[in-house]
Amino acid sequence: MLNKNIFNWNDFVDLYDWEFDFISDDQKLDVEFYQSMVKEKGGTVLEIGCGTGRITEKLLPIAKSVTVVDSAPSFLERLRKRLKQYTNLEIVESNMLHLQLGKQFDTIILSYSTFQYFLTREAQLDALKVLKEHLNDDGNILIDISPYIAIAESLDDFTPYYEHYHPALNADIAMLTSYQVDPESKIQYWVDKYIIKYRKPRDNQPAIEEFDHHLALKGVGLDEMHDLCRSVGLAVVNVFGSQNKEPINPDSNNYFFVIQKMNK
């Protein structure tokens, strides 16, 4: 048995799309929101935290150009192969906080809790400053926040979450989850254990692999997002509770923020 720890997304590429496909039915609908907003605005798009291109693929036919940014080279390689037919696509490998593209965009997208990976107020403000620097004066920043981060009690013991077959790996995979919640910092720390049992191991491949995937996200409230944006000269102009632009309600799984530069 092979055991290891994974602290980044780059080493998770073989499981990411496969897992997302069957555990994230509601989250998949977010693409409808981004398509609608890009159609309204037109022009150029910057997508940060693009992964393997799930949303990118839907934006390329309707945008003048799409620039995608991710810090995981393995994800970008999958995206490059997936979308190689498009000529209006630019791919950039970078940490968002170090981003200096030297141009501005009509729409900037941070989907699927990407903003919640910034675990301190300083990092959040730095991230918003980077977004502002890359935003056209009349552009939109679109940020998707999960309201359910760091509100539960800690789950100390590994608890079964799913068992599912992975056809590309020809393996049965079980995932067990655990997490710690720090209510003061509003950060939730996950350790998810994956047990991969290959049905026909290849030469020199162990029959069973096991790894722990580590992840942390920070809860961001409505008032907090307004305050963060004001601090850097941005303004929240709208918040929706669904991909259909419905108002926030107790059942909203996502808060879709529309943010613009403050009027001078």
Side-chain angles (χ1 to χ4, degrees):
M1 179 184 293
L2 178 64
N3 294 277
K4 58 183 178 180
N5 287 283
I6 293 178
F7 292 90
N8 60 70
W9 285 113
N10 193 59
D11 296 331
F12 198 75
V13 67
D14 287 333
L15 301 187
Y16 184 83
D17 286 336
W18 165 82
E19 183 181 74
F20 181 88
D21 187 57
F22 69 84
I23 70 169
S24 303
D25 286 342
D26 289 338
Q27 188 65 44
K28 291 176 187 177
L29 301 175
D30 63 355
V31 69
E32 298 175 15
F33 172 73
Y34 300 118
Q35 283 178 304
S36 172
M37 294 297 292
V38 169
K39 284 180 181 178
E40 288 179 13
K41 177 62 66 176
T44 57
V45 176
L46 172 61
E47 184 189 357
I48 296 175
C50 59
T52 61
R54 173 181 67 91
I55 294 172
T56 317
E57 185 173 22
K58 303 299 183 180
L59 299 180
L60 283 163
I62 60 176
K64 180 179 179 181
S65 66
V66 180
T67 298
V68 296
V69 177
D70 206 291
S71 61
S74 63
F75 278 62
L76 291 177
E77 183 58 28
R78 294 280 175 97
L79 181 147
R80 183 176 287 107
K81 292 178 180 178
R82 178 180 186 172
L83 304 176
K84 60 184 178 181
Q85 71 272 29
Y86 288 98
T87 59
N88 60 335
L89 172 64
E90 179 185 19
I91 300 173
V92 178
E93 181 185 336
S94 176
N95 182 306
M96 176 188 163
L97 296 182
H98 302 153
L99 195 62
Q100 293 180 325
L101 296 177
K103 55 185 174 180
Q104 295 180 315
F105 299 83
D106 297 301
T107 301
I108 301 177
I109 296 172
L110 280 79
S111 67
Y112 200 15
S113 302
T114 296
F115 186 76
Q116 294 176 275
Y117 285 90
F118 301 109
L119 303 183
T120 66
R121 180 177 175 83
E122 180 182 8
Q124 291 171 328
L125 292 173
D126 287 344
L128 289 172
K129 290 175 184 175
V130 170
L131 297 181
K132 183 182 177 183
E133 289 173 1
H134 288 86
L135 185 67
N136 280 334
D137 287 342
D138 61 346
N140 290 326
I141 300 169
L142 310 177
I143 296 180
D144 172 8
I145 295 293
S146 169
Y148 295 108
I149 302 301
I151 63 172
E153 297 292 328
S154 295
L155 181 65
D156 296 324
D157 298 326
F158 283 114
T159 301
Y161 190 73
Y162 70 71
E163 293 186 21
H164 210 72
Y165 174 66
H166 193 310
L169 298 180
N170 192 20
D172 300 294
I173 300 179
M175 193 268 263
L176 300 88
T177 191
S178 68
Y179 50 81
Q180 295 293 315
V181 175
D182 182 344
E184 184 174 346
S185 65
K186 296 196 296 185
I187 298 175
Q188 186 164 341
Y189 302 88
W190 282 267
V191 180
D192 294 331
K193 182 178 293 293
Y194 290 81
I195 302 171
I196 305 174
K197 298 180 180 180
Y198 295 98
R199 294 188 178 185
K200 293 183 179 180
R202 298 186 297 271
D203 292 342
N204 300 318
Q205 182 184 48
I208 299 176
E209 287 187 78
E210 182 177 312
F211 69 86
D212 292 346
H213 185 233
H214 299 254
L215 171 68
L217 296 176
K218 183 175 178 62
V220 182
L222 292 170
D223 291 341
E224 187 176 5
M225 181 61 85
H226 279 272
D227 177 63
L228 287 166
C229 288
R230 281 194 299 267
S231 297
V232 299
L234 294 170
V236 175
V237 298
N238 224 326
V239 188
F240 300 107
S242 77
Q243 77 280 358
N244 296 321
K245 302 180 184 177
E246 298 169 338
I248 288 174
N249 64 70
D251 296 323
S252 295
N253 291 318
N254 305 77
Y255 293 168
F256 293 98
F257 288 84
V258 182
I259 300 167
Q260 297 177 352
K261 288 182 178 179
M262 282 185 176
N263 293 326
K264 295 182 179 179

